[in-house]
Amino acid sequence: MNSEDNVSVTHPRTTDAQRRFEIDRSCREVVVFWYVSAVCWLLFGSLLAMIASIKMHTPGFLADAAWLTFGRVRPAHLNAMIYGWASMSGVGTLLWLMARLSKIKLPWREMLLIAGIYWNVFVAIGIWQILAGNGTSIEWLEFPWWISIALGAVFAILIVLAVKMLTTRREKHLYVSQWYLLGATIWFPFLYITATVLIHSPAAIGVAKGTTNWWFAHNVLGLWLTPIGLASAYYMIPKVIGRPIYSYALSILGFWTLALFYNWAGTHHLIGGPLPAWVITVGTVGSLMMFVPVITVAVNHHMTMVSHFKKLKFSPTLRFTVFGAMAYTVVSVQGSLTALRTVNLTGHFTHYTIAHAHLGVYAFYSMVAYGAMYYIMPRLIEREWYSSNLIKVHFWCTAVGITMYWVGLTWAGWFQGMMMNNPDIPFLDIVRYTIPFLWSRSIAGILMTIGHLAFAILVFRMVRRDGAWLVEPTLLRSIKNQQMEPAPRLEGADL
Amino acid sequence: MNRISVIILGIFAVVIASLMGLVIVPNWQFEEMQPVEIISADGSKAVYPQKLDSWREAPGREVYRGLGCIYCHSQQVRPEGFGADIDRGWGSRRSVPRDYVFQSPPYLGTMRTGPDLANIGIRQPIEEWHLMHLFDPQITSPGSTMPSFKFLFETHEGSEPMTSIGIPAIQLPKAYTKKPTWIVPKKEAMDLVAYFLTLHQKFDLKDVK
């Protein structure tokens, strides 16, 4: 490996570079494995999504087999995306960020590889169980209980690992991303196992299982994917533009207010439902209080980016991450407003909610995850991305796709809700009204799937090391003849 | 080291607080909830809610779960003045926690691509209607986007087939098919319909305000 030649001069900067190289090397097999698995699940989840989406406007499509009925394909899609794509890409990013920010090599690499294989196997069994009719019909917890327990148990390793890395860290300063990552590793298994036990045992009864369901489901986004997404954005934005985050105090405020309020928001999915009024009120209050962490994070990211927006033209990582960070603000504000009774009256029980969920998991989390992978994979594999054009295809297909998806379904859902609240409109007229928008969703889905294929090709060629040797990063457009420099690859803001 | 343990403590504290607030405390509130005896105007007595029988109704609920009906149908009636559920005839009163004491878990649902089913047992009390609707929703509800569940049936062309006791053979309407065609529901279809017919929240409960 040529890298040894690069560090023959003992200069503080080169020893730093050497250390970073060693940390990246220690992460290589593990993180690449989790990432590549995630991309496979992304493709499989897209296939399920397309089937489900087409079924919604053309119900005769693939209707003759029980295992392909809408009520099975849809939860199979959700679980493939959440537990396959989102969680696996999240763990990959989490491990690399933890190692880099703690400035130590990734420990327990064999165990983490085995954990990755184990995770894949159980998610695959879970999806097969859903398609076979053994899903639980509890939203976001569709896997049979024994799979949820088996998956949650993997986190015993991740929690101990995260604590071990933080306590043996070589960098004394705790960066805000580490707070979020530690929170995520502890919160998710706690939620997952507690909710599974409460719902599948007689410990909770009747509608208390409903509140358990939404306490969990809302927190999968709030206390698992959101902290990882924010940790990644908090790292990538300053790193790529080469300046520190605007305010450390704001980031800590954002962390603890998120931790305090997000938890309580889940019951806004049950507004108008058969529950005591106070449970719903608590959910609404929690949702509205989310304005605090959201505005905090938005201000912090925006102030960091100010006067660097031009760099969005060049850096894939920055472009995906900033798109995601902006979507985070939009989805959170929309979420808080949706928790208001007056908005919920119309938006609930409609496609509006589906659009909102995709704005969170896709426009925010997945875009940030892509951004992180564009940054991390070249460092692990020591090659640049194979094609700048494919990155552009990926970005524009997914960005336009998710926007079209959200606009179409939000519109459809809002009018669906208004029509549903008018008892003079026959139900089938409402169904007919939404069909053109469901088509627009399928078209948006095709666009996003094209983006995913472009991304999968890029990742595949990256793993085969088809890209150029690390000379300069693959940018969306060349910076030759431009006034500014990209953030230096091997020096500068070292976090 | 100290600092990490403080963060971990905080991380646990927040999530345990919400678990208590949203799950444990409401659960205490519901734990004492039992079925009630209802005396109707004509003097007849009934206990509500009833447990499902284990012959058809409970297996039918499992079919409902396995086919994922919940992804398009809710089972909850919103209160008067909040939506048009009651005006649409989806129920005569709002749903309350007591309606769900025997449901584990309750299939409250979050989506109404199709209508609410909390009272489907009263709204469509005819078994044959449900079976034809499941076989192909276009027969009973033209324009519906509900998928057909033909895989829950066997079809016979020609004369009426022999069936086991308790399982009907239903002739499809002539407008739907030219040759005389009979559908014979499999056990799953019969169970599912038996479950539908148990779905009602018709009794007035004192807890409804």
Side-chain angles (χ1 to χ4, degrees), chain A residues 56 59 63-64 66 69-72 74-75 133-139 142 163 166-167 174 183 186-187 190 198 203-209 211-212 214-215 256 259-260 263-264 271-274 276 278 341 344-345 348-351 416 419-423 425 427-428 430-432, chain B residues 1 3-4 7-8 10-12 14-19 21-23 25-27 29-31 65-68 70-72 74 76-79 82-84 87-88 90 94-97 100 103-115 141-149 151:
Chain A
M56 282 220 92
D64 294 333
T69 195
F70 176 81
R72 294 187 185 172
R74 181 199 175 282
N134 293 328
T136 61
S137 271
I138 299 162
E139 289 186 72
E142 280 94 350
V163 173
L166 287 175
T167 48
L174 262 192
I186 294 175
W187 282 322
F190 182 85
L198 284 171
I205 65 153
V207 282
K209 293 196 195 240
T211 59
T212 315
W214 286 106
W215 171 75
W256 284 113
L260 266 176
N263 290 263
W264 293 86
I271 295 176
W278 70 267
R341 269 179 76 88
N344 209 271
L345 174 63
H348 193 34
F349 294 127
T350 72
H351 295 295
Q416 183 191 3
M419 290 162 93
M420 209 135 57
N421 290 341
N422 177 353
I425 298 177
F427 196 84
L428 278 171
I430 308 174
V431 172
R432 268 181 222 113
Chain B
M1 177 64 204
R3 222 162 135 215
I4 299 284
I7 300 175
I8 292 177
I11 284 170
F12 268 114
V14 291
V15 75
I16 288 172
S18 68
L19 173 68
L22 295 184
V23 178
V25 175
N27 194 44
Q29 231 178 328
F30 305 140
E31 248 167 5
R65 170 188 59 72
L67 290 174
I70 190 185
Y71 298 101
C72 293
S74 57
Q76 51 174 310
V77 180
R78 287 169 140 191
F82 193 73
D87 294 333
R88 279 191 178 275
W90 287 349
R94 71 167 298 179
S95 304
V96 292
Y100 303 90
Q103 302 188 16
S104 176
Y107 295 136
L108 297 172
T110 51
M111 185 66 185
R112 286 175 174 172
T113 308
S141 326
S144 163
T145 51
M146 179 164 134
S148 84
F149 291 91
F151 50 82

Side-chain angles (χ1 to χ4, degrees), chain B residues 8 16 35 51 57 62-63 82 87 89 101 126 128 142-143 145 147 155 181 195 200:
Chain B
I8 292 177
I16 288 172
K51 280 189 173 160
E57 297 161 3
E62 292 299 290
V63 177
F82 193 73
D87 294 333
V101 285
I126 301 163
E128 190 175 310
T145 51
T155 47
T181 305
Y195 169 62
H200 72 79

Side-chain angles (χ1 to χ4, degrees), chain B residues 30-87:
Chain B
F30 305 140
E31 248 167 5
E32 308 188 345
M33 230 168 241
Q34 295 298 325
V36 282
E37 189 170 79
I38 312 260
I39 303 169
S40 308
D42 59 4
S44 60
K45 285 182 186 175
V47 174
Y48 176 84
Q50 291 273 332
K51 280 189 173 160
L52 300 180
D53 74 38
S54 56
W55 156 244
R56 280 264 137 98
E57 297 161 3
R61 193 168 197 270
E62 292 299 290
V63 177
Y64 187 91
R65 170 188 59 72
L67 290 174
C69 305
I70 190 185
Y71 298 101
C72 293
H73 295 283
S74 57
Q75 287 187 20
Q76 51 174 310
V77 180
R78 287 169 140 191
E80 208 161 348
F82 193 73
D85 294 14
I86 293 171
D87 294 333

